């Protein structure tokens, strides 16, 4: 039976899709059979980040409405065999999703996969609620910025009330905090919220911290999840995050201003 | 105190009580206008409207023939239960009795007028009603409907104790709201809105370990974050109502 993990945030543009793609890739690289689903019907992006936009024929809405079966809609990742993508529809809107339909799709995927990653749309409306409803675990993506933290707070509240686990009184959805676009120098300068403040306000366990990195932008535009870029700090940070999701203890990295070596300072080289 | 002296088993005893009671001071007798205002209040603080008993005060109205039945219907439609009418002439008294409501004579020599309370109070202003039963009353028992909430109250969430005190073991985050008929105790940071004494208990107070509140209110008198002395931010404090003013004092 697969674990269903929703990647959510409330606020848009904080890195949900990037994180969903990177985490799914990381889980698959560790040998888990993984599928990542785009719930952002109408504004689909996951296929671009995963680099499979040219191979989309059917999508989630087609499956829910019975116009295609799951096998036809699932796209196999071209780099990792045990990773699949279920894209969203670009032409429909979120009303095309139904609770029963989503349940049917997730139940079918549960049978076949080890991990089902749901990439939630922004907001707290229907689309986001459907993406989280059946989740076993949640990765709450937050930027070190007050509005993002407040929106994440709101989403954590919904996770404890508007999910199947909450409604049935089962063990609650396991919540994890993922901080993205963290810039230690700007945190030290006081431009951004620091790690401790964010953790204190949201008070859920930290699963990872992804530094602000050029590698993320590069990865998005090339359609290669940043986890594949093992030379980059962001790529390594996502690998750490995946290890923690799998229950391993990993030391936190990239949260402090890097002490640059003499050569780097002389020649202006930095982290890339 | 028992009024009966015979030895037969008692079906009841009469007891006097000073119950806190919300007084709805009518400035207009127009049911439609009342309906509109109630609807907007209801959306602001739904926790207040839970079959809350109210006394309709018509002292400020100069209408001998009040559409009392329609006003009561409007109130009930918004989950307020009119239990009595205060003031008004004989026709008002007769129609109150006809509707099964009690009637209180107008309150005289009132030291404090309602205007002394800020006009945009976050909660309806209330004050204790007159003694309900005979004067040989025993002291009313305080309501023991306290509520304990464990965990963080998050943005968009509302936790209320409509009859007693509210204890929060955790933080109240920005955008969250907690309400209590009695006092509010927060064993954590208060970053959201805290309202104590929502039915008018002026002795209610607010306690928190770390003050960053968006709004503090006791019995309708309130302070916004902007009104709070910067030096008190982050402090362990107690908030009480003194002379119609909220006083924030450090604890420990």
């Amino acid at each position: 039976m697969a674990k269903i993990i929703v990647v959510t945030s409330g606020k848009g543009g904080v890195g949900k899709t990037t994180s969903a793609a990177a985490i799914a890739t990381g889980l698959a690289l560790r040998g888990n059979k993984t599928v990542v689903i785009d719930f952002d019907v109408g504004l689909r992006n996951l296929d671009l980040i995963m680099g499979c936009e040219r191979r989309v024929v059917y999508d989630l809405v087609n499956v829910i409405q019975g116009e295609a079966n799951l096998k036809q809609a699932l796209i196999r990742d071209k780099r990792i065999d045990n990773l699949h993508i279920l894209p969203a529809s670009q032409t429909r809107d979120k009303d095309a999703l139904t609770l029963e339909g989503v349940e049917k799709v997730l139940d079918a995927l549960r049978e076949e996969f080890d991990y089902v990653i749901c990439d939630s749309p922004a907001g707290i409306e229907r689309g986001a609620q459907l993406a989280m409803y059946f989740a076993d675990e949640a990765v709450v993506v937050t930027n070190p910025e007050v509005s993002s933290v407040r929106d994440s707070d709101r989403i954590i509240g919904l996770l404890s009330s508007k999910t199947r686990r909450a409604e049935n009184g089962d063990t609650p959805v396991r919540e994890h905090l993922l901080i993205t676009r963290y810039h230690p120098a700007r945190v030290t300068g006081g431009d951004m919220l620091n790690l401790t403040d964010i953790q204190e306000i949201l008070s859920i366990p930290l699963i990872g911290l992804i530094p602000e990195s050029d590698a993320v932008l590069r990865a998005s535009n090339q359609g290669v999840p940043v986890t594949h870029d093992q030379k980059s700090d962001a790529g390594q940070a996502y690998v750490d995050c995946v290890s923690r999701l799998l229950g391993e203890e990993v030391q936190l990295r990239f949260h402090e201003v890097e002490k640059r070596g003499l050569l780097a300072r002389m020649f202006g080289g930095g982290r890339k | 105190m028992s009024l009966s002296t015979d030895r037969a088993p008692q079906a009841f005893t009469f007891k006097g009580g000073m119950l806190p009671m919300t007084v709805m001071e009518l400035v207009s007798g127009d049911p439609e206008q009342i309906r509109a205002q109630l609807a907007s209040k209801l959306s602001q603080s739904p926790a207040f409207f839970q079959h809350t008993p109210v006394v309709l005060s018509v002292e400020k109205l100069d209408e001998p023939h009040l559409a009392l039945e329609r006003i009561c219907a409007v109130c009930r439609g918004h989950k307020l239960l009119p239990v009595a009418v205060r003031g008004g002439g004989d026709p008002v008294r007769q129609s109150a009795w006809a509707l099964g409501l009690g009637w209180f004579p107008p309150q005289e020599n009132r030291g404090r007028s309602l205007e002394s309370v800020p006009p945009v109070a976050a909660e309806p202003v209330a004050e204790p009603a007159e003694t309900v039963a005979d004067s040989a009353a025993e002291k009313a028992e305080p309501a023991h409907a306290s509520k304990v909430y464990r965990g963080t109250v998050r943005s968009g969430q509302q936790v209320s104790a409509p009859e007693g005190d509210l204890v929060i073991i955790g933080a109240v985050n920005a955008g969250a709201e907690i309400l209590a008929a009695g006092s509010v105790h927060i064993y954590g940071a208060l970053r959201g809105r805290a309202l104590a004494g929502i039915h008018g208990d002026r002795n209610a107070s607010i306690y928190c370990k770390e003050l960053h509140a968006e709004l503090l209110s006791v019995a309708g008198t309130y302070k916004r974050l902007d009104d709070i002395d910067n030096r008190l931010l982050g402090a362990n404090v107690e908030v009480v109502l003194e002379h119609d003013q909220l006083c924030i004092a450090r604890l420990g």
Side-chain angles (χ1 to χ4, degrees):
Chain A
M1 274 296 258
K3 251 190 200 151
I4 299 180
I5 304 178
V6 62
V7 179
T8 185
S9 71
K11 194 171 162 60
V14 296
K16 277 184 299 299
T17 302
T18 300
S19 299
I23 290 171
T25 302
L27 286 168
L29 282 172
R30 295 283 302 264
N32 299 290
K33 208 167 174 222
T34 307
V35 58
V36 52
I37 311 175
D38 192 349
F39 271 84
D40 205 348
V41 177
L43 289 169
R44 84 170 199 229
N45 282 163
L46 182 69
D47 51 330
L48 291 170
I49 307 284
M50 296 294 297
C52 65
E53 73 278 9
R54 299 182 183 191
R55 292 187 289 146
V56 175
V57 183
Y58 295 109
D59 55 53
L60 178 61
V61 172
N62 293 135
V63 177
I64 284 180
Q65 301 192 336
E67 296 153 359
N69 63 40
L70 256 178
K71 281 225 157 51
Q72 294 172 297
L74 285 174
I75 303 172
R76 183 190 290 265
D77 185 72
K78 56 188 168 202
R79 295 173 201 91
I80 316 168
D81 278 348
N82 53 1
L83 177 59
H84 287 75
I85 298 109
L86 182 54
S89 169
Q90 182 71 351
T91 48
R92 312 288 184 87
D93 59 40
K94 293 176 179 66
D95 295 335
L97 297 179
T98 60
L99 195 65
E100 298 73 30
V102 171
E103 182 175 23
K104 230 171 78 189
V105 170
L106 289 177
D107 281 348
L109 291 173
R110 245 186 221 275
E111 297 298 319
E112 257 191 73
F113 290 89
D114 300 321
Y115 285 94
V116 179
I117 310 294
C118 303
D119 177 24
S120 169
I124 53 171
E125 283 78 29
R126 191 179 162 75
Q129 293 196 9
L130 281 174
M132 72 166 67
Y133 189 78
F134 298 101
D136 302 308
E137 300 193 17
V139 172
V140 180
V141 184
T142 306
N143 288 170
E145 182 224 335
V146 280
S147 58
S148 173
V149 171
R150 184 178 294 192
D151 291 0
S152 293
D153 192 39
R154 182 86 167 95
I155 278 289
I156 299 169
L158 293 179
L159 284 168
S160 59
S161 61
K162 294 277 170 75
T163 50
R164 182 164 65 177
R165 281 175 174 273
E167 286 175 7
N168 293 352
D170 299 341
T171 41
V173 176
R174 238 179 108 196
E175 298 147 341
H176 309 282
L177 174 62
L178 177 62
I179 299 177
T180 56
R181 311 199 68 167
Y182 198 76
H183 200 302
R186 298 189 65 185
V187 170
T188 313
D191 296 346
M192 282 183 171
L193 286 179
N194 74 38
L195 181 60
T196 331
D197 290 346
I198 301 172
Q199 280 186 282
E200 197 185 303
I201 293 173
L202 296 179
S203 55
I204 58 172
L206 185 71
I207 191 85
L209 179 136
I210 315 298
E212 173 83 68
S213 168
D214 294 340
V216 173
L217 185 67
R218 197 164 54 228
S220 301
N221 285 323
Q222 289 174 353
V224 184
V226 72
T227 323
H228 286 294
D229 184 357
Q230 273 309 295
K231 287 202 195 79
S232 71
D233 48 3
Q236 294 170 26
Y238 274 116
V239 167
D240 289 358
C241 168
V242 167
S243 304
R244 292 188 197 102
L245 259 183
L246 294 170
E248 296 161 22
E249 288 223 0
V250 185
Q251 188 79 35
L252 194 66
R253 297 193 269 174
F254 312 116
H255 60 296
E256 279 165 346
V257 182
E258 196 184 16
K259 292 183 185 67
R260 297 209 298 176
L262 180 67
L263 284 176
R265 270 184 281 165
M266 280 173 66
F267 298 108
R271 284 186 289 151
K272 283 278 166 355
Chain B
M1 163 174 288
S2 165
L3 290 180
S4 83
T5 48
D6 58 33
R7 308 189 130 232
Q10 296 183 353
F12 61 85
T13 53
F14 272 116
K15 287 193 172 179
M18 290 277 290
L19 303 176
M21 183 78 80
T22 303
V23 177
M24 191 167 161
E25 183 106 47
L26 295 180
V27 199
S28 158
D30 176 11
E32 281 317 307
Q33 206 183 334
I34 295 170
R35 184 197 304 277
Q37 196 177 339
L38 277 177
S40 76
K41 283 271 186 212
L42 182 64
S43 62
Q44 281 170 24
S45 42
F48 179 72
F49 295 88
Q50 290 176 344
H51 303 288
T52 311
V54 293
V55 173
L56 296 173
S57 165
V58 299
E59 290 165 276
K60 294 209 167 160
L61 278 184
D62 211 16
E63 293 174 44
H65 296 285
L66 202 59
L68 200 55
E69 192 171 356
R70 283 180 61 202
I71 294 173
C72 288
V74 167
C75 289
R76 288 196 193 98
H78 289 83
K79 290 195 178 175
L80 289 182
L81 288 181
V83 292
V85 177
R86 182 166 78 189
D90 196 49
V92 171
R93 180 167 49 174
Q94 294 300 334
S95 53
W97 287 344
L99 287 168
L101 300 176
W103 184 83
F104 291 112
Q107 202 179 25
E108 285 157 312
N109 309 324
R110 295 172 62 201
R112 189 180 56 86
S113 82
L114 285 177
E115 276 75 19
S116 64
V117 175
V120 278
E123 284 296 325
V125 174
E127 41 174 66
E130 284 86 340
T131 315
V132 180
D134 62 346
S135 53
E138 291 175 16
K139 202 164 186 273
E141 279 180 8
H144 283 300
S146 297
K147 188 165 159 183
V148 178
Y149 180 96
R150 283 172 197 274
T152 309
V153 188
R154 301 188 179 275
S155 180
Q157 292 181 331
Q158 195 186 52
V159 177
S160 65
E163 284 168 38
D165 286 3
L166 179 59
V167 178
I168 308 280
I169 300 175
V172 178
N173 277 351
E177 190 171 66
I178 53 171
L179 312 108
S183 296
V184 174
H185 309 253
I186 303 142
Y187 294 93
L190 169 59
R191 307 184 184 94
R193 304 157 74 95
L195 297 94
I198 55 171
H199 301 321
D201 182 359
R202 301 172 63 83
N203 293 316
S205 38
I206 301 170
Y207 306 88
C208 73
K209 298 276 274 183
E210 202 183 312
L211 178 71
H212 300 282
E214 285 174 350
L215 186 96
L216 294 166
S217 164
V218 175
T221 303
Y222 66 92
K223 266 196 167 133
R224 301 164 304 170
L225 183 53
D226 241 15
D227 309 323
I228 299 172
D229 187 345
N230 270 333
R231 286 167 297 183
L232 288 167
L233 294 184
N236 179 8
V237 298
E238 167 186 39
V239 183
V240 294
L241 191 58
E242 267 174 30
H243 309 297
D244 285 335
Q245 285 250 347
L246 280 195
C247 296
I248 307 177
R250 274 175 196 274
L251 285 176

